[in-house]
Amino acid sequence: IIGIPAFRATFNRHKRPVARRSSHRTRSAPREGHENRLRGVRLRRQASSSEPAASVDWRGARFYNKSMGAATSKLRRVLILTADAGFGHRSAANAIAAALKDLYGNACVVEVANPMSDKRVPAMLRNAQGDYDKLVTTAPKLFSFGYELSDRMAPAAVVDSALTVLLFEALYRLMRRMRPDVIVTTYPLYQAPLMGVSQIRRRHVPLITVITDLTQLHALWFHNAADLCLVPTVQARDLAIKHGLAPGKVQITGIPVNPAIVKHAKDRETLRRELGWQTDLTTALFVGSKRVTSLQKVLRLLNHAMLPLQMVAVAGGDDLLYADLQAIDWHGPAHVYNYVENMPAIMHAADCLLCKPGGLIVSEALAVGLPMIFIDALPAHELANAEYVIRNGAGTWAREPVAALEVLYHWLDAGGALMADHAAQARRLGRPRAAYDVAERAWALAPLGERPTRGQYYATERSRLVTWLRRHNIEWQEEA
């Protein structure tokens, strides 16, 4: 992406008519004070003649006046943007969508979209999602080098301009089709293009960025296009401010996890019985995927260790891994799954988790109170996730299969006292209501809706953007 001028031929696919600037200029009110309305912990929605006044704050359903009813209240449209590079971005987006529907039901329309998969996006960027697994497993050092290089050396203006050209058409058409009142993004690449779309349309829609890693974050996450930047930890908040975001924009919510995690009220024994597991054995949950390369080695070693342990393995949709796990001659109680829809129930039924430290799986484990043993990690952000968990006493490393055996032996000793201590620390760090917290903020910003922009700054930036888009034959339609 940094060298995007060299790829100009890729997105100059063919010459097309370029939209001409209309002489008509939209009449609009200035947006002075907009930033101030976003600060603090409370927003006040202005009453209109057709809609009863309702207090807007961050505390859940209180700021939805249920007496308004679906027939008389304005339908709120929430657009959630994500990508499929790994599981975390999509899962966080789905969690937010579920929380919005849980809190506000038919009072809002929610759409989860992946602009990166749009056919208008150049193939080199569109296909990068599918290449992510291959890159991080076969060339982790190259992945780490590219991550660090782009994080430290890429000029922001160059990256923003490149991303705007690559993603403008997909986002422009999506915005015109849905007309959202608020946008939530769980992927960092959309912020600059969304600012470009706002400039071309002369309309601003509130934007919330939801960060999906714990502490070490790429600079692309931090962009002034966002009205709110929701982060998982204090360290992430400090980093956002260091990158120039106003402190009032940055709030700690945690990484959104499936709202079903909050709803599970059944005790562990009942859940195990419903899942068909033994109810009286300590249960270790193993979560794998194409990126967890050492999972089989750990499982095979523990299978022959004769520990008083029930093992549950989830292959994460990796069919080859699932077939290999099914073929193992298990010497103790074991349950093997491929892709599961009931992960919250499975996690609540387990005693500990062996996995890699992805932002989503770590956040889910903390929300449930599961202590973790990390058996793999991607460079950069996942190593930082693991360090955060270990530093706070909620887990440990097992860099070799025999190390996993040693850890479990000590965790099972003395009636599981050490495991219980780690579980308590996990619960202390967990934010099981993170998806609801994000949903509440999105709902609070939605009444601001799509607002016109005006002023010399916007006119100048729009003029520059028009020149840039025309140079690359990007088309759009002028709006009244």
Side-chain angles (χ1 to χ4, degrees):
I1 294 175
I2 298 170
I4 203 61
F7 295 100
R8 183 174 299 174
T10 303
F11 48 77
N12 284 354
R13 297 179 296 278
H14 49 79
K15 297 291 183 181
R16 295 170 296 188
V18 178
R20 299 300 175 187
R21 187 170 182 176
S22 170
S23 60
H24 174 77
R25 303 185 68 86
T26 304
R27 294 193 180 107
S28 58
R31 296 179 64 246
E32 285 84 356
H34 175 69
E35 179 69 22
N36 289 335
R37 285 195 295 274
L38 296 175
R39 296 183 184 276
V41 297
R42 176 168 296 189
L43 298 173
R44 289 289 177 183
R45 185 171 61 194
Q46 298 295 322
S48 68
S49 57
S50 61
E51 183 178 44
S55 175
V56 181
D57 61 29
W58 303 132
R59 293 172 297 196
R62 290 181 184 174
F63 53 68
Y64 172 51
N65 188 343
K66 299 203 175 200
S67 65
M68 291 158 58
T72 58
S73 63
K74 179 182 177 182
L75 198 65
R76 304 300 182 193
R77 306 180 69 85
V78 183
L79 175 61
I80 304 176
L81 302 179
T82 191
D84 293 307
F87 295 123
H89 305 293
R90 169 74 65 173
S91 297
N94 289 340
I96 298 166
L100 280 163
K101 282 300 184 182
D102 199 17
L103 288 174
Y104 310 113
N106 293 331
C108 67
V109 174
V110 182
E111 180 174 340
V112 178
N114 178 6
M116 291 271 285
S117 296
D118 192 288
K119 64 182 181 180
R120 300 175 186 87
V121 175
M124 66 173 184
L125 187 58
R126 188 171 64 247
N127 296 337
Q129 299 175 98
D131 294 337
Y132 177 77
D133 284 341
K134 183 177 179 180
L135 176 63
V136 299
T137 54
T138 62
K141 291 184 179 179
L142 178 61
F143 170 81
S144 179
F145 174 77
Y147 182 98
E148 293 179 5
L149 183 67
S150 60
D151 187 36
R152 297 177 183 178
M153 299 183 63
V158 173
V159 174
D160 286 357
S161 298
L163 290 173
T164 299
V165 168
L166 292 168
L167 293 164
F168 180 88
E169 289 182 89
L171 287 167
Y172 176 78
R173 281 162 175 74
L174 182 59
M175 291 283 290
R176 286 202 57 171
R177 176 178 62 79
M178 189 183 180
R179 304 279 179 173
D181 296 302
V182 63
I183 304 170
V184 179
T185 178
T186 63
Y187 195 61
L189 301 191
Y190 300 134
Q191 298 176 92
L194 283 170
M195 176 178 279
V197 171
S198 295
Q199 290 170 350
I200 290 299
R201 298 184 67 229
R202 299 187 181 93
R203 291 170 173 85
H204 173 78
V205 177
L207 172 63
I208 299 175
T209 299
V210 179
I211 292 178
T212 56
D213 277 303
L214 294 172
T215 57
Q216 183 171 333
L217 308 170
H218 198 286
L220 286 172
W221 278 113
F222 309 116
H223 199 289
N224 278 319
D227 295 288
L228 284 177
C229 179
L230 305 183
V231 300
T233 61
V234 173
Q235 293 92 324
R237 182 182 184 276
D238 293 342
L239 191 59
I241 295 171
K242 181 180 178 181
H243 276 81
L245 294 189
K249 281 187 175 184
V250 186
Q251 298 179 15
I252 301 173
T253 58
I255 296 175
V257 296
N258 191 332
I261 285 177
V262 180
K263 298 177 182 178
H264 269 285
K266 297 178 181 179
D267 61 80
R268 186 170 287 166
E269 183 177 342
T270 301
L271 286 171
R272 289 180 182 176
R273 188 178 298 110
E274 291 178 353
L275 291 166
W277 304 354
Q278 290 194 22
T279 60
D280 57 345
L281 276 178
T282 299
T283 301
L285 172 61
F286 300 77
V287 175
S289 69
K290 295 178 181 179
R291 299 184 295 279
V292 190
T293 56
S294 62
L295 181 68
Q296 280 198 63
K297 295 178 181 178
V298 174
L299 279 168
R300 290 181 183 277
L301 176 62
L302 294 176
N303 185 37
H304 292 86
M306 304 307 291
L307 292 175
L309 193 69
Q310 178 173 225
M311 293 190 287
V312 177
V314 178
D318 184 344
D319 294 334
L320 292 177
L321 175 60
Y322 178 57
D324 288 342
L325 296 180
Q326 284 186 310
I328 294 177
D329 181 15
W330 297 99
H331 300 310
H335 308 272
V336 176
Y337 305 89
N338 192 357
Y339 182 82
V340 299
E341 298 285 351
N342 61 335
M343 183 59 83
I346 289 175
M347 296 184 84
H348 275 287
D351 292 293
C352 64
L353 172 66
L354 289 86
C355 62
K356 74 179 188 68
L360 173 72
I361 189 69
V362 167
S363 297
E364 289 177 332
L366 296 177
V368 173
L370 275 182
M372 286 161 275
I373 302 173
F374 299 122
I375 57 176
D376 260 326
L378 299 182
H381 56 293
E382 286 197 356
L383 289 174
N385 292 345
E387 180 184 350
Y388 172 79
V389 170
I390 294 168
R391 185 174 64 248
N392 284 281
T396 188
W397 269 113
R399 299 183 183 275
E400 300 292 338
V402 69
L405 174 60
E406 293 174 357
V407 170
L408 282 170
Y409 181 85
H410 290 297
W411 281 16
L412 292 169
D413 194 27
L418 184 57
M419 185 187 299
D421 288 343
H422 288 302
Q425 294 304 315
R427 283 189 292 272
R428 178 180 62 84
L429 294 176
R431 290 181 175 267
R433 292 191 56 83
Y436 290 107
D437 291 340
V438 175
E440 290 166 1
R441 285 159 171 77
W443 185 262
L445 288 184
L448 297 176
E450 187 177 85
R451 288 171 166 254
T453 60
R454 61 177 293 179
Q456 185 59 43
Y457 171 79
Y458 292 106
T460 302
E461 291 301 309
R462 187 182 190 279
S463 178
R464 291 173 181 169
L465 181 59
V466 166
T467 301
W468 178 247
L469 294 178
R470 285 176 176 169
R471 182 182 302 172
H472 295 286
N473 299 311
I474 305 299
E475 61 182 18
W476 70 92
Q477 295 178 355
E478 292 289 351
E479 300 180 43

